[in-house]
Amino acid sequence: MPRRAGWYVQALRLTACALLAWLVWQLWHLSTYEAADVVWVCAGTGGCGTGHFASVGPFAGLAAAIGLGVAAARHLHRSAPGAVVALSAWAALAGWQDALADGKVTRADTSAWFLLVPVELSVPTWLAVLRWLTAAGLAGACWGACSSLYRTAAVARFLRGRASAPGTLEGWRSLGRRHGEADLLFADERGVRHRVPVVVGRRALTRETVLAVYDPARPGDAARTRAALPRKEAKP
């Protein structure tokens, strides 16, 4: 793909993510801000209904959040699920806080997301639950970001001056249920071939190619070499 076209596609993806994030915020904010205005009419058969859009706000917000998570995974990697949960919970929290500020509800009121969570809770309880969910989502996003940075060796590549090159793995010596030692074969920037033992996870064996991250001054040093697993396989 031409470089200009690549940047255009990336710009479109980022724009789509931004629009989805805005939609997620609006839907979850609406679902709590307008919760007090939802009036349910129950028939004698036991079924209940309402014409207020806020009643389906949580479902629409959940669908938009899933879409955002899928779209943002390319850029946020493993931090995407936690970030989406944090954004959704924060938006719902802001909706309750705005409803309190505008006098739509009081702290003595109880409410329920009738279809999503059919449990009556007081407004302060909802605020506490949503604060906890926001914090949990942020913690999950931070853990996911650290995991992705380690998996892709981004810190070593961009902050520690390590070089990278396409590589392949040969052999497997188990070191436990999830990790083992394999030989990493790659050519450094001068074209010299190296075979370096590295510790990798079993999932690395599913890759045809990996990314060899090494010290340009000591490319054969096992202590300064590792195999990274970017989202896309390294091109030979």
Side-chain angles (χ1 to χ4, degrees), residues 37-53 55-56 114-115:
D37 296 333
V38 178
V39 178
W40 293 91
V41 179
C42 298
T45 58
C48 297
T50 181
H52 203 296
F53 179 75
S55 64
V56 296
F114 189 81
L115 297 176

Side-chain angles (χ1 to χ4, degrees), residues 126-149:
W126 280 122
L127 293 175
V129 169
L130 291 170
R131 288 191 183 101
W132 182 86
L133 281 176
T134 302
L138 289 174
C142 291
W143 179 88
C146 292
S147 177
S148 294
L149 288 173

Side-chain angles (χ1 to χ4, degrees), residues 154-214:
V155 174
R157 291 160 57 194
F158 299 112
L159 298 182
R160 296 180 182 175
R162 297 290 195 267
S164 61
T168 58
L169 295 173
E170 287 187 359
W172 175 260
R173 298 172 291 279
S174 179
L175 298 177
R177 294 181 59 187
R178 300 179 61 183
H179 294 84
E181 187 179 72
D183 291 331
L184 174 62
L185 283 67
F186 67 96
D188 63 24
E189 54 193 9
R190 294 174 295 180
V192 179
R193 300 287 300 178
H194 299 275
R195 177 186 290 266
V196 182
V198 293
V199 175
V200 294
R202 286 185 179 271
R203 64 180 180 274
L205 299 178
T206 63
R207 295 290 189 94
E208 183 178 348
T209 60
V210 296
L211 193 65
V213 180
Y214 62 94

Side-chain angles (χ1 to χ4, degrees), residues 25-37 89-107 109 123 126-127 130-131:
W25 177 275
Q26 294 297 326
L27 289 171
W28 283 107
H29 185 279
L30 174 70
S31 70
T32 51
Y33 183 77
E34 299 286 347
D37 296 333
W90 185 24
L93 175 63
W96 281 123
Q97 292 174 331
D98 289 345
L100 281 170
D102 294 343
K104 297 175 70 67
V105 295
T106 67
R107 290 186 173 274
D109 291 337
V123 173
W126 280 122
L127 293 175
L130 291 170
R131 288 191 183 101

Side-chain angles (χ1 to χ4, degrees), residues 64-88:
I66 293 173
L68 176 60
V70 172
R74 184 180 185 88
H75 304 286
L76 299 181
H77 298 267
R78 294 182 177 179
S79 64
V84 170
V85 169
L87 175 65
S88 301

